[in-house]
């Protein structure tokens, strides 16, 4: 879908119709106008799977006030302060990843012939991090160098979710697919939800001083706005999906792309080695300041978006202008890839090869790509 939309943008320009009442944008003001503008444009129902217990999850919440209510409770868990406080958890699992990779390399005599499936290793890492961050209980995938059965269930469920998202654009299809859907997929989704519920119950009963996402959510969940237990369950199950495979896939694509381009790899390696004297100096805050590293990640997101669907917003009032275009009420607006928070000229968006240099401040469109990334 993303490739198809990018293709029609390349042919027809920065705004294209992708359906009778749907527009996709790629121009430099579009992100600001669609997603950042206030009052915010509501999410649309299309392509959004509802949770098993029927309680709305933040990501599928289409009622703006309800979305804002959940967001007020959840957002402290994602603040910079929270990330800082959870740094030890992140560090523990990244260190464990390196230890495990080193062990695997060490076990093989012919080091030049080692093949490691990095996608698998990144998934072990991100699932362990997310499990520990949310439930104070990791999946122990890194320790065991193996998938937890939950993770396999999540993958099956995700494939089904993506299919249903696509079918939602062809109205009779979701009902047809639900009738013929294999029992195993239904069971995988139900199991994922049940496991999340059980872990959340255990976490709620746990006395712990170690801050995790639940510390913030439970601590902040007070008063009339408070989230119900069903809402906490549906959001908890969503966080596992939202935070793990997405992050693992981003790491996998970035690794794939920079290994394909030795000049990028060299530049990235140099930036990191120059910035840190030893591994212990690397923190999320410090890493976040490295411009080329950020650019490599944004390029991986642009070329290989883990959430390979759009995040549509509905025009619910007259006078909405997106990237200089007046948009009528009722139209749904999308950007089909995770877009860097920089104003890029539209020509840069149509440039398909992996080219992180374009996203750094020293970008000069006149320079050939090889010069920029060497
Ligand atoms: C590279 C990694 C990630 C990608 C590509 C990604 C992608 C997305 C996208 C596209 C949305 C917007 C959906 C929409 O509004 O329609 C979203 C929302 C969200 N994501 Fe992520 N995500 C990532 C990592 C994470 C992580 C690590 C967490 C936390 C565990 C997380 C939690 C959320 C939440 C709570 C929302 C809902 C925000 C709201 O509606 O206000 N995501 N993500």
């Amino acid at each position: 879908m993303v490739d198809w939309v990018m293709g029609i943008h390349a042919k027809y320009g920065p705004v294209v119709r992708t359906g009778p009442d749907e527009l996709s944008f790629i121009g430099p003001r579009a992100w600001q106008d669609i997603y950042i503008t206030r009052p915010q444009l509501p999410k649309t129902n299309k392509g959004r799977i509802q949770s098993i217990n029927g309680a709305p999850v933040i990501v599928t919440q289409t009622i703006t006030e309800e979305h804002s209510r959940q967001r007020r409770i959840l957002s402290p868990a994602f603040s910079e302060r929270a990330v800082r406080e959870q740094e030890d958890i992140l560090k523990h699992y990244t260190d464990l990843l390196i230890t495990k990779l080193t062990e695997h390399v060490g076990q093989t005599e012919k080091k030049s012939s080692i093949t490691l499936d990095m996608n698998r290793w990144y998934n072990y890492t991100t699932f362990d991090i997310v499990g520990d961050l949310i439930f104070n209980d990791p999946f122990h995938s890194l320790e065991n160098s193996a998938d937890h059965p939950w993770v396999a269930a999540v993958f099956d469920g995700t494939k089904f979710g993506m299919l249903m998202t696509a079918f939602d654009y062809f109205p009779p299809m979701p009902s047809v697919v639900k009738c013929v859907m294999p029992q195993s997929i239904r069971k995988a989704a139900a199991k994922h939800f049940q496991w999340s519920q059980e872990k959340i119950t255990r976490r709620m009963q746990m006395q712990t001083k170690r801050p995790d996402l639940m510390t913030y959510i439970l601590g902040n969940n007070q008063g009339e706005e408070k989230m119900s237990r069903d809402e906490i369950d549906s959001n908890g199950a969503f966080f596992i999906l939202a935070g793990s495979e997405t992050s693992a896939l981003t790491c996998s694509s970035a690794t794939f792309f920079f290994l394909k381009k030795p000049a990028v790899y060299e530049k990235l390696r140099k930036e990191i080695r120059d910035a840190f004297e030893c591994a212990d100096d690397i923190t999320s805050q410090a890493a976040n300041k490295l411009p080329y590293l950020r650019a490599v990640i944004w390029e991986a997101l642009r070329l290989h978006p883990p959430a390979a669907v759009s995040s549509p917003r509905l025009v619910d009032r007259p006078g909405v202008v997106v990237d200089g275009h007046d948009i009528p009420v009722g139209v749904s607006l999308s950007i089909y890839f995770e877009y860097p928070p920089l104003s890029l000229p539209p020509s840069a968006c149509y440039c398909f090869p992996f080219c992180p240099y374009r996203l750094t401040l020293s970008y000069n469109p006149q320079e050939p790509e090889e010069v920029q990334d060497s």
Side-chain angles (χ1 to χ4, degrees), residues 57-59 78 90 119 121-135 139 150-151 154-155 158 192 213 234-252 301 306-307 338:
V57 186
I58 184 164
V59 77
F78 300 99
L90 303 180
N119 187 45
W121 283 97
Y122 286 138
N123 269 300
Y124 295 162
T125 313
T126 58
F127 272 91
D128 273 355
I129 290 176
V130 169
D132 209 357
L133 270 183
I134 302 170
F135 307 122
F139 293 96
W150 187 338
V151 177
V154 166
F155 284 136
T158 312
H192 165 58
L213 291 189
S234 57
N235 275 292
F238 160 68
F239 288 161
I240 291 282
L241 298 176
S244 51
E245 214 228 342
T246 47
S247 311
L249 198 57
T250 309
C251 296
S252 305
L301 283 166
E338 281 83 11

Side-chain angles (χ1 to χ4, degrees), residues 192-208:
H192 165 58
F193 200 83
Q194 188 202 331
W195 275 332
S196 307
Q197 269 178 326
E198 288 167 5
K199 286 216 178 207
I200 289 172
T201 303
R202 275 205 294 280
R203 172 60 187 83
M204 283 172 146
Q205 288 162 351
M206 198 184 282
Q207 300 294 327
T208 173

Side-chain angles (χ1 to χ4, degrees), residues 99-269:
T99 306
K100 287 287 174 178
L101 291 180
T102 314
E103 268 172 33
H104 275 73
V105 173
Q107 274 166 14
T108 318
E109 276 176 17
K110 274 192 181 171
K111 295 199 172 26
S112 57
S113 65
I114 295 166
T115 307
L116 288 175
D117 180 349
M118 285 309 295
N119 187 45
R120 197 160 263 266
W121 283 97
Y122 286 138
N123 269 300
Y124 295 162
T125 313
T126 58
F127 272 91
D128 273 355
I129 290 176
V130 169
D132 209 357
L133 270 183
I134 302 170
F135 307 122
N136 208 320
D137 187 4
F139 293 96
H140 302 289
S141 294
L142 275 171
E143 243 168 75
N144 302 328
S145 306
D147 279 332
H148 184 282
W150 187 338
V151 177
V154 166
F155 284 136
D156 284 348
T158 312
K159 277 184 210 149
F160 168 69
M162 285 295 117
L163 272 178
M164 291 304 282
T165 300
F167 285 139
D168 211 23
Y169 286 81
F170 305 94
M173 285 306 284
S175 333
V176 177
V177 175
K178 271 182 197 152
C179 292
V180 296
M181 186 191 352
Q183 273 299 320
S184 58
I185 291 182
R186 253 183 238 276
K187 277 191 190 150
K191 206 156 202 134
H192 165 58
F193 200 83
Q194 188 202 331
W195 275 332
S196 307
Q197 269 178 326
E198 288 167 5
K199 286 216 178 207
I200 289 172
T201 303
R202 275 205 294 280
R203 172 60 187 83
M204 283 172 146
Q205 288 162 351
M206 198 184 282
Q207 300 294 327
T208 173
K209 288 209 169 109
R210 197 200 72 165
D212 57 19
L213 291 189
M214 275 293 162
T215 312
Y216 289 94
I217 296 169
L218 300 176
N220 205 26
N221 195 28
Q222 285 149 10
E224 279 179 19
E225 292 207 320
K226 141 185 198 162
M227 276 167 48
S228 65
R229 172 64 207 259
D230 275 350
E231 285 178 320
I232 295 179
D233 285 349
S234 57
N235 275 292
F238 160 68
F239 288 161
I240 291 282
L241 298 176
S244 51
E245 214 228 342
T246 47
S247 311
L249 198 57
T250 309
C251 296
S252 305
S253 337
T255 307
F256 170 81
F257 286 122
F258 68 63
L259 288 179
K260 283 273 186 194
K261 278 199 155 187
V264 174
Y265 173 75
E266 230 1 90
K267 198 164 170 173
L268 184 60
R269 201 184 67 89

